[in-house]
Amino acid sequence: MPKGKSVTSSRRRERREQKNAGGVMFNTGLGQHILKNPLIVNSIIDKAALRPTDVVLEVGPGTGNMTVKLLEKAKKVIACELDPRLVAELHKRVQGTPQASKLQVVVGDVLKTDLPFFDACVANLPYQISSPFVFKLLLHRPFFRCAILMFQREFALRLVAKPGDKLYCRLSINTQLLARVDHLMKVGKNNFRPPPKVESSVVRIEPRNPPPPINFQEWDGLVRITFVRKNKTLSAAFKSSAVQQLLEKNYRIHCSVHNIAVPEDFSIADKIQKILTDTGFSDKRARSMDIDDFIRCCVYKGHWRRAAHRGYLENLMHRTCTACNSIWCSRWRLLALAHCYMDSMQKASIFLRQIKKRILQT
């Protein structure tokens, strides 16, 4: 009974606080935990180092505790809010003030909305959209300068985790590939109304501009396989029958599309083992591999693919040279192979057909 009474009294206290705040009942299912401590609000805005010419994106403005401070610092604030009740409260709060013209409110789910141009993002995010929003932000173009975001403590520590840390995971390496991430400060749950069940942290994210020149789909596929069991060696991770079947299917499709012959005795397991042995990653474990290690794996994979393209082009160029028997064939052959190293198979094949046409005309 005493425990039930304490729970009931805490709920009554939360409702009383909400009524004192303007009669708005916050929906915690939507992540509505309003940051009420003005000192933390001011600290977050100071960390953003806003300029008078900046356009600022805020996600989940709530009742506007942070929004009114952002309006004083920036040229314009674009606030994304899902709850129409809080949108009305936000408009009511800035109505009749000089900053009202600088506020633009976007009503709807930020994950389903095309983000406008902005210089900085400052937000107390609903924690359930943390991961998808981070990657939506990092893939946004044109680049923004920085983002100061509030996350659940454990999620924030995963973002900044380094190789060898207990929390180091696929989220860590994917985020750090595309951005520089810094943990700024811890925020206790009593600084929110109503208080969440978890502690929070503020993180600064600066996108890398220009981004690393790698194929992110290939990168993500490699990282997914290795981090399924991050304590396993890469050799053991790639021995999974499901992984090998998937890789062999993808490789055969790739060869079929690009007219590359696959040997009858081809074994995807032997090919994988050869790549891991040649790169020296056979006995490495994902938990201790940094970004440079994974980039080396992706680069080697790219060289392997280009080698297959080169073998195909050499064979095709040999047939072309035999057919036309021209003294210029050796020069064109070098150009075609150089193009193969530099670009895609499709463009190299088009280039090769143009060479053949030109040679036959001469």
Side-chain angles (χ1 to χ4, degrees):
M1 290 298 293
K3 184 177 180 180
K5 288 183 179 180
S6 64
V7 172
T8 304
S9 60
S10 65
R11 287 178 180 172
R12 287 176 180 172
R13 185 168 57 253
E14 288 177 8
R15 291 175 182 173
R16 189 164 54 251
E17 288 179 356
Q18 290 175 4
K19 288 181 180 179
N20 293 336
V24 179
M25 298 295 293
F26 298 118
N27 185 351
T28 56
L30 296 178
Q32 292 178 357
H33 299 279
I34 309 302
L35 184 60
K36 65 181 183 179
N37 190 333
L39 295 178
I40 294 179
V41 171
N42 291 334
S43 180
I44 290 173
I45 295 175
D46 291 341
K47 300 290 186 184
L50 298 178
R51 304 166 186 168
T53 57
D54 281 347
V55 176
V56 180
L57 175 69
E58 184 185 12
V59 180
T63 55
N65 292 345
M66 188 181 296
T67 311
V68 293
K69 299 289 181 69
L70 291 172
L71 289 169
E72 296 173 0
K73 298 277 187 179
K75 176 183 177 181
K76 181 180 180 180
V77 175
I78 303 171
C80 296
E81 177 57 60
L82 181 63
D83 193 339
R85 299 175 307 134
L86 295 183
V87 172
E89 287 293 324
L90 186 59
H91 280 302
K92 188 189 301 183
R93 185 161 184 173
V94 300
Q95 188 176 12
T97 65
Q99 288 81 20
S101 60
K102 299 197 295 183
L103 176 64
Q104 175 186 345
V105 180
V106 179
V107 183
D109 187 347
V110 69
L111 297 180
K112 299 177 182 178
T113 304
D114 293 333
L115 298 180
F117 167 81
F118 60 93
D119 298 293
C121 178
V122 182
N124 172 25
L125 282 176
Y127 292 162
Q128 60 264 38
I129 68 168
S130 295
S131 183
F133 179 75
V134 166
F135 288 103
K136 182 180 178 70
L137 207 58
L138 292 177
L139 297 176
H140 177 68
R141 299 294 182 271
F143 285 99
F144 58 94
R145 187 173 67 251
C146 72
I148 309 296
L149 305 175
M150 181 87 73
F151 292 121
Q152 181 179 336
R153 177 76 51 79
E154 183 179 354
F155 183 87
L157 294 179
R158 288 180 185 276
L159 285 178
V160 300
K162 300 300 180 185
D165 292 349
K166 183 179 180 180
L167 293 177
Y168 187 62
C169 60
R170 188 165 62 93
L171 173 69
S172 313
I173 194 165
N174 280 342
T175 307
Q176 293 170 28
L177 172 74
L178 300 173
R180 176 183 172 185
V181 190
D182 297 306
H183 185 279
L184 298 181
M185 61 180 175
K186 299 177 180 180
V187 180
K189 54 188 176 183
N190 292 327
N191 294 291
F192 298 88
R193 184 180 68 246
K197 297 179 181 179
V198 294
E199 302 294 330
S200 305
S201 287
V202 178
V203 170
R204 180 185 180 92
I205 298 177
E206 295 180 27
R208 300 189 188 277
N209 187 9
I214 66 169
N215 186 321
F216 188 74
Q217 288 183 339
E218 292 183 0
W219 167 276
D220 190 53
L222 175 64
V223 172
R224 279 176 184 272
I225 292 172
T226 55
F227 273 96
V228 169
R229 295 288 184 270
K230 66 179 182 179
N231 293 324
K232 276 186 166 184
T233 63
L234 261 61
S235 178
F238 279 95
K239 283 180 180 177
S240 166
S241 59
V243 171
Q244 290 186 359
Q245 288 174 7
L246 176 64
L247 291 178
E248 183 170 5
K249 178 182 176 182
N250 290 343
Y251 179 73
R252 289 185 181 277
I253 292 173
H254 169 81
C255 292
S256 175
V257 169
H258 297 95
N259 297 324
I260 301 172
V262 179
E264 293 182 1
D265 59 345
F266 174 76
S267 171
I268 192 66
D270 295 339
K271 176 64 75 174
I272 293 171
Q273 190 58 44
K274 182 179 183 303
I275 292 174
L276 293 177
T277 303
D278 291 347
T279 54
F281 290 120
S282 181
D283 295 326
K284 290 259 189 175
R285 302 174 193 273
R287 68 182 182 192
S288 59
M289 293 175 64
D290 58 14
I291 291 176
D292 293 337
D293 291 332
F294 281 102
I295 287 179
R296 283 172 57 197
C297 284
C298 281
V299 168
Y300 188 90
K301 181 180 180 182
H303 286 321
W304 174 37
R305 187 175 62 253
R306 286 194 294 272
H309 291 168
R310 188 173 69 252
Y312 166 72
L313 277 183
E314 284 180 341
N315 185 27
L316 188 57
M317 196 67 207
H318 175 72
R319 297 200 303 269
T320 305
C321 294
T322 304
C324 62
N325 194 20
S326 170
I327 59 173
W328 295 100
C329 285
S330 59
R331 297 184 184 180
W332 291 115
R333 183 171 181 271
L334 290 175
L335 286 174
L337 292 179
H339 197 282
C340 177
Y341 276 114
M342 293 163 53
D343 215 330
S344 69
M345 180 64 190
Q346 183 180 3
K347 291 184 178 180
S349 298
I350 295 172
F351 183 67
L352 190 60
R353 286 196 294 270
Q354 292 173 350
I355 292 172
K356 181 178 179 180
K357 183 178 179 181
R358 183 168 178 179
I359 290 174
L360 292 176
Q361 287 176 350
T362 57

